[in-house]
PDB file of all heavy atoms in Angstrom:
ATOM      1  N   PHE A 262      36.364  17.397  33.408  1.00 98.00           N
ATOM      2  CA  PHE A 262      35.670  16.118  33.621  1.00 98.00           C
ATOM      3  C   PHE A 262      35.346  15.857  35.087  1.00 98.00           C
ATOM      4  O   PHE A 262      34.468  15.047  35.378  1.00 98.00           O
ATOM      5  CB  PHE A 262      36.509  14.938  33.101  1.00 98.00           C
ATOM      6  CG  PHE A 262      36.936  15.059  31.662  1.00 98.00           C
ATOM      7  CD1 PHE A 262      38.130  14.503  31.220  1.00 98.00           C
ATOM      8  CD2 PHE A 262      36.147  15.739  30.746  1.00 98.00           C
ATOM      9  CE1 PHE A 262      38.519  14.609  29.896  1.00 98.00           C
ATOM     10  CE2 PHE A 262      36.533  15.851  29.416  1.00 98.00           C
ATOM     11  CZ  PHE A 262      37.734  15.289  28.993  1.00 98.00           C
ATOM     12  N   ASP A 299      42.873  11.052  28.676  1.00 98.00           N
ATOM     13  CA  ASP A 299      41.900  11.975  28.096  1.00 98.00           C
ATOM     14  C   ASP A 299      41.776  13.156  29.056  1.00 98.00           C
ATOM     15  O   ASP A 299      41.472  12.971  30.239  1.00 98.00           O
ATOM     16  CB  ASP A 299      40.554  11.257  27.917  1.00 98.00           C
ATOM     17  CG  ASP A 299      39.628  12.005  26.967  1.00 98.00           C
ATOM     18  OD1 ASP A 299      39.921  13.170  26.622  1.00 98.00           O
ATOM     19  OD2 ASP A 299      38.605  11.413  26.573  1.00 98.00           O
ATOM     20  N   ASP A 310      39.477  19.787  24.901  1.00 98.00           N
ATOM     21  CA  ASP A 310      39.355  18.351  25.148  1.00 98.00           C
ATOM     22  C   ASP A 310      40.313  17.629  24.195  1.00 98.00           C
ATOM     23  O   ASP A 310      40.224  17.815  22.977  1.00 98.00           O
ATOM     24  CB  ASP A 310      37.889  17.958  24.865  1.00 98.00           C
ATOM     25  CG  ASP A 310      37.562  16.505  25.168  1.00 98.00           C
ATOM     26  OD1 ASP A 310      38.391  15.810  25.781  1.00 98.00           O
ATOM     27  OD2 ASP A 310      36.437  16.090  24.792  1.00 98.00           O
ATOM     28  N   GLU A 406      37.658  12.407  17.534  1.00 98.00           N
ATOM     29  CA  GLU A 406      38.343  11.469  18.427  1.00 98.00           C
ATOM     30  C   GLU A 406      38.150  10.002  18.072  1.00 98.00           C
ATOM     31  O   GLU A 406      37.365   9.311  18.697  1.00 98.00           O
ATOM     32  CB  GLU A 406      37.943  11.718  19.881  1.00 98.00           C
ATOM     33  CG  GLU A 406      36.461  11.844  20.178  1.00 98.00           C
ATOM     34  CD  GLU A 406      36.212  12.015  21.686  1.00 98.00           C
ATOM     35  OE1 GLU A 406      36.848  11.319  22.486  1.00 98.00           O
ATOM     36  OE2 GLU A 406      35.374  12.849  22.045  1.00 98.00           O
ATOM     37  N   GLU A 437      42.630  12.428  20.128  1.00 98.00           N
ATOM     38  CA  GLU A 437      41.582  13.454  20.030  1.00 98.00           C
ATOM     39  C   GLU A 437      42.182  14.853  20.037  1.00 98.00           C
ATOM     40  O   GLU A 437      43.052  15.152  20.853  1.00 98.00           O
ATOM     41  CB  GLU A 437      40.644  13.326  21.237  1.00 98.00           C
ATOM     42  CG  GLU A 437      39.599  14.435  21.333  1.00 98.00           C
ATOM     43  CD  GLU A 437      38.754  14.347  22.606  1.00 98.00           C
ATOM     44  OE1 GLU A 437      39.288  13.897  23.646  1.00 98.00           O
ATOM     45  OE2 GLU A 437      37.584  14.746  22.549  1.00 98.00           O
TER      46      GLU A 437
HETATM   47 MG1  LIG B 538      38.354  13.736  25.478  1.00 54.12          MG
END
Side-chain angles (χ1 to χ4, degrees):
F262 305 149
D299 197 348
D310 184 10
E406 48 177 317
E437 174 185 32

